[in-house]
Amino acid sequence: MMMNSMTSEHTTAQADVASSCAQETSSGALQLDELVGSATNTALLPAPNKHAFDDLATGEQDPLMLGGHAFSSRFILGSGRYDLSLIEAAIENAGTQIITMALRRCRTAENNLLDYIPDGITLLPNTSGAHDAGEAVRIARLAREVCGTDFIKVEIEHESRYLLPDNAETIKATEILAAEGFVVMPYMLPDPLAATQLEDAGAACVMPLGSLIGSNKGLGARDLIEVIIDNASVPVIIDAGIGRPSQAAQAMEMGADAIMAYTAIASARNIPVMARAFKHAVQAGREAYLAGLGIVTHGHAVASSPTEESDYLGASSAS
């Protein structure tokens, strides 16, 4: 009895669809369109421009510029506590072209960190351990001699619990070092006013922390970082606190120019694989930003099956 009922219902449905398809309204539209609730005829839509974004530069055509130097990778890798035998694998899997290190890690003849860095990698010594501008400047000058590079990451922290950068001293050091020809990359608290002052002092970029260094908490200071990104005329590199590839992608999607990460990779069970995951996340976030993220709606849904020409995404831009 149940089988007969189901067969009867199926036959009735087929008859309804066949009847609807056979009848046309005065406008020529099939009644089936009304039955399913959406227009299926897209012939009247303007032809899309398939090559509208062919000139959108990505990858090597979209370099990160720092002090007149171009880098195709937007992922900067730290080297703090890696086992030296893993550094080369981490660098290769990260696809990075810049690696940062504390000066004290490359001063000894035995197990010198520099011996493990592949050729072609730009060294970014940092002034970790400096408590004021004077100490940072002295470390930077030593780093230039030891590492043979004009790149310097200015880090000035005068307390040991939170390791928060001192923006005022960082600005002083940046002004001195930029005048001496250094490519200064200052680590800073995400203060938009301080970011502007660092630019004025000659910084090649600004490097606001996402959250406390080593915390892996991600973009805790997102709102302030967005203000910095919106107003900066130099690259903005998110440094410290990025703990997952997804967080790196989010930072790039909001318009950051690069990501600096270390603890998230060094604390992973598989360091080379995590380095590779970050590389892909940074690339994906950058391309998403360049492509233009979709509109976020609040308080209502948007039908995925369009019923009007204006509902077709891209229809107005293609015409």
Side-chain angles (χ1 to χ4, degrees):
M1 179 69 69
M2 183 178 296
M3 181 66 71
N4 290 340
S5 174
M6 291 177 63
T7 302
S8 176
E9 291 175 0
H10 180 68
T11 302
T12 300
Q14 284 181 322
D16 289 342
V17 171
S19 176
S20 297
C21 289
Q23 300 177 27
E24 294 189 5
T25 65
S26 59
S27 64
L30 295 176
Q31 286 190 0
L32 177 60
D33 293 335
E34 298 177 3
L35 182 67
V36 300
S38 65
T40 57
N41 186 353
T42 62
L44 298 178
L45 287 177
N49 182 355
K50 298 178 181 179
H51 302 288
F53 300 102
D54 283 357
D55 59 349
L56 184 65
T58 60
E60 293 184 359
Q61 288 72 47
D62 174 41
L64 170 67
M65 299 299 301
L66 294 170
H69 301 268
F71 300 92
S72 58
S73 172
R74 292 175 176 270
F75 181 34
I76 300 173
L77 191 63
S79 64
R81 295 191 299 271
Y82 291 137
D83 184 295
L84 291 176
S85 63
L86 284 174
I87 286 181
E88 187 170 0
I91 290 173
E92 290 178 352
N93 279 273
T96 188
Q97 295 170 311
I98 304 175
I99 184 166
T100 185
M101 69 200 74
L103 179 61
R104 59 180 173 272
R105 288 212 74 193
C106 55
R107 284 193 300 180
T108 60
E110 184 178 354
N111 286 330
N112 190 325
L113 174 64
L114 299 181
D115 294 336
Y116 294 82
I117 306 297
D119 292 338
I121 300 297
T122 295
L123 302 177
L124 177 59
N126 63 53
T127 66
S128 176
H131 295 86
D132 56 38
E135 289 185 3
V137 169
R138 286 194 294 274
I139 293 173
R141 289 168 177 164
L142 284 171
R144 175 186 260 173
E145 295 300 319
V146 172
C147 300
T149 180
D150 290 329
F151 280 80
I152 191 71
K153 179 185 173 189
V154 174
E155 293 187 37
I156 301 176
E157 303 128 344
H158 55 69
E159 55 81 32
S160 58
R161 181 174 183 181
Y162 301 106
L163 297 175
L164 296 175
D166 184 325
N167 283 353
E169 291 296 306
T170 299
I171 293 167
K172 293 178 186 177
T174 296
E175 187 170 19
I176 295 170
L177 294 171
E180 295 182 7
F182 282 89
V183 179
V184 185
M185 301 172 61
Y187 172 54
M188 61 169 295
L189 278 174
D191 175 355
L193 296 178
T196 299
Q197 291 171 326
L198 284 165
E199 282 192 45
D200 294 341
C205 66
V206 291
M207 302 180 73
L209 58 83
S211 54
L212 294 181
I213 190 169
S215 69
N216 284 349
K217 288 185 175 181
L219 293 169
R222 181 182 185 121
D223 289 347
L224 291 172
I225 292 172
E226 285 181 330
V227 175
I228 293 173
I229 290 172
D230 289 344
N231 293 277
S233 57
V234 296
V236 178
I237 301 173
I238 310 303
D239 182 10
I242 299 296
R244 299 181 180 183
S246 59
Q247 295 166 354
Q250 289 172 8
M252 297 301 292
E253 287 172 359
M254 62 192 256
D257 293 281
I259 299 296
M260 160 79 197
Y262 165 67
T263 302
I265 296 168
S267 60
R269 287 195 297 272
N270 189 312
I271 287 175
V273 171
M274 184 60 75
R276 187 164 68 244
F278 264 83
K279 176 185 74 172
H280 294 316
V282 170
Q283 291 173 343
R286 177 64 177 177
E287 292 195 2
Y289 170 74
L290 293 175
L293 298 175
I295 298 172
V296 176
T297 61
H298 298 280
H300 65 91
V302 177
S304 57
S305 298
T307 58
E308 302 290 342
E309 178 179 330
S310 59
D311 290 334
Y312 282 82
L313 297 179
S316 59
S317 62
S319 56

